[in-house]
Amino acid sequence: MNRKAIAALAGGIGLVAWTAFGVLAAVVAGAHGAPLFPDEALLHWSLGHRPAVALAAARGLTATGTGVLPYALVVVAALVAGRTAWQRLLAVLLGAACLGAGQAARHGVMELVARARPPLPDWRTHASGWAFPSGHSTTAALTAGLVILAIWVRAPRGRTPLCLAVGCWGVLVGLTRVHLGVHWFTDVLGGWLFAAGWLGVCLYAAARWLPARLVTGPVSTPDSKHARNATNPTNPTDSTHRSGEGPPSR
């Protein structure tokens, strides 16, 4: 796919995701943060299916959706995606900027909607702040999307199973938030939609406006080679000495 096709695809996905997120956010705000249709049923189901092993696994998995690990995954994916040192550096900077700015934007939306979390007695892990959209779900989905993009670019063979595994991780992190009782399901859904919309915007902007020379890096030209040769001329005396000729007579 050329850059124009990538921009069109990313823009379309982003538009659909932002439209769905806007509708969901409006419904949540219109209900004054009250749980929506699927929220209470899914939370009650989770309350009844909490064996110790499942709780331990959910706590371990949910911990991977925050902190340093998502950034570490993005950095590793960027290093793998680039073919040159310049491309790797650019990929690391753009990936970290996409993730960090997305987290900041989500926090702003969270403060605007100000939706309360489920009842505190149902919690089985620590949580803070408002509920919508879920921070862990957003961060994990953003990270998964960036890693999948790197795999798709760099690994033409066998990439489908890897992409599916990374995508499942992103989804499961969000579901653990419901299982642990700290989010309604629509908080998690909002996080997924927000992440999809944000990734669409970032990919569209990169494909549409990022100059090609920034992607390919500095290019060596004949003029630059001539300039380098001109700065290091051959010493005539040395060449004369190497040819076996003696010093000039007086």
Side-chain angles (χ1 to χ4, degrees):
M1 296 178 67
N2 57 34
R3 295 182 62 170
K4 184 177 292 186
I6 293 173
L9 177 61
I13 293 174
L15 180 61
V16 172
W18 282 124
T19 301
F21 178 80
V23 171
L24 180 60
V27 172
V28 169
H32 304 288
L36 302 181
F37 169 70
D39 290 332
E40 290 184 322
L42 291 174
L43 180 62
H44 290 160
W45 184 91
S46 297
L47 294 177
H49 298 80
R50 283 179 170 175
V53 174
L55 280 177
R59 291 190 183 107
L61 186 57
T62 204
T64 64
T66 188
V68 178
L69 182 59
Y71 284 91
L73 292 174
V74 169
V75 169
V76 171
L79 293 176
V80 171
R83 295 181 180 273
T84 65
W86 174 261
Q87 290 177 346
R88 294 186 183 102
L89 175 61
L90 183 64
V92 167
L93 294 177
L94 292 178
C98 175
L99 180 57
Q103 288 179 314
R106 181 212 66 88
H107 187 82
V109 173
M110 179 190 71
E111 293 292 338
L112 287 175
V113 178
R115 187 189 200 186
R117 293 178 181 270
L120 184 59
D122 297 335
W123 294 14
R124 292 299 180 270
T125 190
H126 171 74
S128 61
W130 300 108
F132 182 90
S134 166
H136 283 68
S137 304
T138 303
T139 299
L142 283 173
T143 303
L146 291 170
V147 173
I148 288 172
L149 179 61
I151 294 173
W152 199 261
V153 168
R154 197 66 174 93
R157 294 183 179 180
R159 59 189 177 186
T160 300
L162 289 174
C163 291
L164 288 175
V166 174
C168 288
W169 167 77
V171 170
L172 288 174
V173 169
L175 294 178
T176 61
R177 307 305 286 169
V178 179
H179 187 73
L180 295 171
V182 293
H183 275 291
W184 305 109
F185 175 73
T186 46
D187 299 333
V188 174
L189 179 60
W192 292 339
L193 292 173
F194 185 94
W198 189 262
L199 286 171
V201 168
C202 291
L203 185 56
Y204 175 86
R208 183 70 174 82
W209 292 304
L210 188 66
R213 64 179 181 273
L214 290 181
V215 177
T216 57
V219 178
S220 179
T221 63
D223 291 339
S224 63
K225 293 180 180 179
H226 179 73
R228 287 195 301 269
N229 293 335
T231 59
N232 187 28
T234 303
N235 190 328
T237 303
D238 293 342
S239 61
T240 301
H241 180 70
R242 285 194 299 269
S243 63
E245 297 179 6
S249 58
R250 297 185 180 181

